[in-house]
Amino acid sequence: MKNIIDQIYNTSEATGDELLRLLNNVDEESTAYLHLRAHEKRLSVYGNKVFMRGLIEFTNYCKSNCMYCGIRRDNKNADRYRLDTETILKCCREGHELGYRTFVLQGGEDPFYTDEDIVTLVKAIKSNHPDCAITLSIGEKSKESYRRYKDAGADRYLLRHETNTKTLYEKLHPDMSYEARIRCLQDLKEIGFQVGAGFMVGLPGQGNEDYVKDLLFLKKLQPHMVGIGPFIPQQDTPLAGANSGTLETTCIMLSLVRLLLPKVLLPATTALGSLDPKGRERGLQAGGNVVMPNLSPTNVRDKYLLYDGKICTGDEAAHCRGCIERRIQSVGFEVDMSRGDHVDRLTQK
Ligand code: SAH
């Protein structure tokens, strides 16, 4: 296994057969070696810095019905909320004072906010905080809509591909198409966003062949960011009784993505931290270099429940900032509060 890992480390390339052989045969020793090589790669590109993104979950209304997601349309138990512009701007102000220079606006797919609303919001944040990057994560839209957000000043867009196995994708996403998802990612790239794709680990029915497809897809797409987290069941969804993804497999995927796409911005996700008390630390040690602490107002925190057992649902933004900083330092990394652009974009601000 060491040979394949070294080869990926040296060339950032691997065939599907090699990846499958690796995934089918990893043991404790080769996993430790994989994490070590991924850690070295991350140090060589980004040093020991961990970039901070302030996450604002501004609506949990959603017209989609993803089988795994706690804010899916059919979940009648979800306590729905929307933040108005003033409240979102206040979150940004508070975040800016805490040092954040990236704001991630994430939400369900909520048609209540028109393109015009999103444009107005992006412009207002940019005008208040011209030194900050804005990331949108609001799902599938037309290319024209994406272009309007970009023209308004949005810098980045997160849209996980979720799984690159078409049959599994369509089983998990009623009324959605795999092709449309991929089209959106291509549109976002063409428009010039820094783009984030990514997938869940441990979905029911998902196996090593599926992960290989995810990894090869990412290699081909060359996104700037990759979000990878374990699937965690949510009690009011059709997948309530399924098993969670594991910390081990998630960290293996993080390391492989770091080796295949050395410059990628790779979060140690909240889902990973929710699965295991040291999950985010482990994610950073496996090659992750981003964390996304929550800036949402405390009174809505416990309503954006994509999965059960989500951490930090009651904490103030300042508390999250301090807590995550201590965690980052505890495993030998250093907090970086700058915009944290992808290295290929640093000269193009
Ligand atoms: N509506 C936006 C944001 C979705 S929520 C969009 O479609 O892009 C952000 C991410 O949370 C999703 O992309 C999904 O990968 C993840 N997620 C949703 N439910 C989850 C669950 N039960 N366990 C783990 N991750 C989940």
Side-chain angles (χ1 to χ4, degrees), residues 29 38 77 130 178 191 265 322:
E29 194 188 334
N77 291 335
Y178 164 81
I191 290 167
L265 290 156

Side-chain angles (χ1 to χ4, degrees), residues 72-87:
R72 66 199 302 269
R73 180 182 70 221
D74 283 355
N75 182 6
K76 302 289 177 261
N77 291 335
D79 185 2
R80 306 284 172 175
Y81 73 92
R82 291 186 176 107
L83 303 184
D84 59 23
T85 306
E86 258 327 295
T87 308

Side-chain angles (χ1 to χ4, degrees), residues 171-297:
K171 222 189 274 177
L172 294 170
H173 303 94
D175 322 321
M176 290 167 74
S177 96
Y178 164 81
E179 286 78 16
R181 194 77 172 178
I182 306 303
R183 181 74 251 161
C184 283
L185 284 164
Q186 278 156 359
D187 288 346
L188 289 162
K189 273 209 98 177
E190 280 166 26
I191 290 167
F193 278 103
Q194 292 180 52
V195 174
F199 59 100
M200 273 177 284
V201 172
L203 289 162
Q206 195 181 27
N208 288 342
E209 282 87 3
D210 303 298
Y211 300 133
V212 169
K213 285 191 209 159
D214 289 315
L215 294 168
L216 294 177
F217 168 73
L218 290 169
K219 181 71 191 164
K220 193 159 134 233
L221 179 72
Q222 294 274 322
H224 305 86
M225 308 167 286
V226 172
I228 299 177
F231 157 69
I232 303 175
Q234 202 281 348
Q235 58 188 358
D236 301 310
T237 63
L239 299 181
N243 291 323
S244 296
T246 66
L247 176 71
E248 288 71 23
T249 310
T250 307
C251 288
I252 288 172
M253 296 303 146
L254 289 172
S255 289
L256 285 171
V257 168
R258 170 61 63 207
L259 293 182
L260 289 167
L261 298 165
K263 298 174 181 173
V264 80
L265 290 156
L266 191 63
T269 56
T270 305
L272 199 55
S274 300
L275 189 68
D276 184 290
K278 288 268 184 298
R280 284 171 297 176
E281 289 88 327
R282 296 279 299 277
L284 295 174
Q285 291 172 307
N289 67 332
V290 172
V291 289
M292 299 168 65
N294 205 313
L295 289 180
S296 309

Side-chain angles (χ1 to χ4, degrees), residues 3-13 37 41 259:
N3 289 348
I4 303 184
I5 296 168
D6 283 334
Q7 174 213 308
I8 311 178
Y9 178 90
N10 288 322
T11 65
S12 309
E13 298 285 345
R37 293 305 254 168
K41 187 59 83 177
L259 293 182

Side-chain angles (χ1 to χ4, degrees), residues 68-69 106-107 109 159-160 162 181 200 230 232 306-307:
Y68 44 79
C69 185
Q106 190 179 85
E109 312 221 2
L159 186 80
R160 291 187 179 176
E162 312 294 4
R181 194 77 172 178
M200 273 177 284
I232 303 175
L306 310 181
Y307 45 83

